[in-house]
Amino acid sequence: MSVSITVMTFNLHDDEPKESPNSWEKRKDLCISVITSYSPMILCTQQGVKSQLDYLQQGLSEVYLPFSNFLGINEGYTQFGISRKGAEDISDQYCAIFFDKEKVELIEGGTFWLSESPSVAGSSSWGAMKGIEPPGFSFQIVNTNMDEQSRRARRRSALLTWQHIASLPPSLPVVYCGGFNTQKESTTGRFLLGRSREHGIIGDMRDAWPNARTRKNMSLIHTYHGFKGDKQGAVEFLKLMFRALCLCWDRQTQDLHIDWILFRGRSLVPVLCEVVNDNMGGFYPSSHYPIFAEFMLPRSVRLIEASPSQDGNGAASLT
């Protein structure tokens, strides 16, 4: 029997002032609507603050079980992950992972920080997961949000995260997604995709977008749009068209996405990848387009116990 894994990466763009047209209060229900319309097995979020994550937790539960809180039922999605300042400080952004408890089970999870001291607070989450229906497959999800300003910090972050992934059993499928805040032809992207070395090490990830059998919204070569959607100024539009034409010769680099879904494992086959541009009359749920991907496991994958890790990204092993 084939098993499908669906993943969405979604930069929530932490809250803005209430008077802003893009404040969380004005877009929170649209976020719930977008997520539920795709119903991903795994939802990796970035730049969310606790109030946003709490609202998603409540809203997603109510959509799937309208009277769940009243009845004391705890089903649907749950989340894990801590803020960039650690478990004791809830004032900062989170790199939280939500997962559908009816489809996957969290075996173990943790957070490691993208710094010189990965066990010291600050922004990737990981989780070891196990499938429930049908049972018998395990995989790990890694969620990250890299530095927006420093190229050196992003390269270092990519190296730290790859070292975590490389420490896992080679047969364990891994999905690595989030906000990389750089393009795939950058030194960070080239390293993770196995096209260049970093300190003598080379990555071995693949990109779901160019490898998917079906890709939707290919014209959206940017994933960051600043709440404008595909409405660009004339000069910016011409720049995007020129860049798109220049990139068309190479399927691997024909996008300028800064939000990615990468994967490792021969058993993972990306059948669909979509830049999600759902909106309500030109009003968008975030300044970033979410990315949605579906992977098929065409043959049974035996249960693999993932080794414990003390890293600072968000990661999880699921079965």
Side-chain angles (χ1 to χ4, degrees), residues 210-272:
N211 287 287
R213 296 174 184 171
T214 301
R215 295 186 291 171
K216 294 186 178 180
N217 293 325
M218 291 177 57
S219 63
L220 300 174
I221 62 172
H222 276 272
T223 55
Y224 176 78
H225 57 87
F227 291 106
K228 296 178 182 178
D230 56 3
K231 299 175 184 176
Q232 307 290 342
V235 174
E236 186 176 2
F237 178 76
L238 290 174
K239 287 181 180 178
L240 292 180
M241 291 299 296
F242 177 75
R243 186 66 184 272
L245 290 172
C246 290
L247 294 175
C248 280
W249 65 275
D250 184 356
R251 180 179 171 89
Q252 296 293 325
T253 59
Q254 61 185 233
D255 67 78
L256 303 177
H257 298 175
I258 63 172
D259 304 271
W260 315 340
I261 297 180
L262 309 181
F263 67 99
R264 187 194 73 169
R266 293 181 180 179
S267 58
L268 288 176
V269 179
V271 293
L272 170 67

Side-chain angles (χ1 to χ4, degrees), residues 112 140 142 158-170 172-177 192 204-205 262-264 309 311 313:
F112 61 95
Q140 181 154 141
V142 181
L159 178 61
L160 288 170
T161 309
W162 171 249
Q163 288 173 332
H164 165 77
I165 294 171
S167 71
L168 301 171
L172 179 69
V174 178
V175 178
Y176 176 25
C177 59
L192 288 171
D204 189 26
M205 304 299 296
L262 309 181
F263 67 99
R264 187 194 73 169
S309 173
D311 294 333
N313 273 347

Side-chain angles (χ1 to χ4, degrees), residues 42 61 69 99 111 199 209 214 291 319:
I42 308 292
S61 298
N69 291 336
F99 62 95
T111 298
H199 298 288
W209 177 249
T214 301
I291 304 291
T319 308

Side-chain angles (χ1 to χ4, degrees), residues 17-223:
K18 290 185 178 180
E19 61 273 15
S20 168
N22 301 309
S23 69
W24 176 247
E25 189 65 29
K26 296 182 177 70
R27 56 190 174 89
K28 60 184 182 181
D29 291 329
L30 183 54
C31 285
I32 295 287
S33 176
V34 170
I35 295 167
T36 54
S37 66
Y38 286 82
S39 299
M41 184 182 293
I42 308 292
L43 170 66
C44 294
T45 66
Q46 305 86 39
Q47 289 193 320
V49 295
K50 189 174 186 302
S51 59
Q52 292 175 302
L53 300 174
D54 287 347
Y55 186 83
L56 290 184
Q57 179 73 70
Q58 179 182 355
L60 292 172
S61 298
E62 290 177 351
V63 166
Y64 288 99
L65 291 166
F67 302 103
S68 58
N69 291 336
F70 177 76
L71 297 175
I73 300 173
N74 186 26
E75 295 293 342
Y77 284 94
T78 192
Q79 62 171 296
F80 69 92
I82 60 178
S83 85
R84 292 186 301 184
K85 293 183 178 179
E88 303 303 319
D89 190 333
I90 62 173
S91 63
D92 209 338
Q93 296 175 0
Y94 286 64
C95 205
I97 299 174
F98 289 76
F99 62 95
D100 188 338
K101 292 188 294 182
E102 295 182 356
K103 297 178 181 177
V104 289
E105 173 187 359
L106 177 66
I107 301 172
E108 60 176 331
T111 298
F112 61 95
W113 284 270
L114 303 178
S115 67
E116 299 295 330
S117 303
S119 61
V120 179
S123 63
S124 284
S125 301
W126 65 268
M129 317 297 281
K130 180 175 73 173
I132 293 177
E133 195 59 46
F137 70 94
S138 297
F139 63 97
Q140 181 154 141
I141 186 83
V142 181
N143 180 31
T144 193
N145 190 43
M146 292 188 180
D147 192 284
E148 297 180 9
Q149 306 298 328
S150 170
R151 274 189 270 180
R152 181 181 182 278
R154 288 192 294 269
R155 292 200 307 270
R156 177 64 177 166
S157 298
L159 178 61
L160 288 170
T161 309
W162 171 249
Q163 288 173 332
H164 165 77
I165 294 171
S167 71
L168 301 171
S171 55
L172 179 69
V174 178
V175 178
Y176 176 25
C177 59
F180 293 81
N181 289 312
T182 189
Q183 297 162 17
K184 294 163 192 169
E185 278 303 294
S186 65
T187 52
T188 297
R190 293 182 66 83
F191 163 70
L192 288 171
L193 294 170
R195 300 176 196 161
S196 68
R197 293 181 180 273
E198 191 73 27
H199 298 288
I201 300 173
I202 189 167
D204 189 26
M205 304 299 296
R206 297 173 66 196
D207 182 7
W209 177 249
N211 287 287
R213 296 174 184 171
T214 301
R215 295 186 291 171
K216 294 186 178 180
N217 293 325
M218 291 177 57
S219 63
L220 300 174
I221 62 172
H222 276 272
T223 55

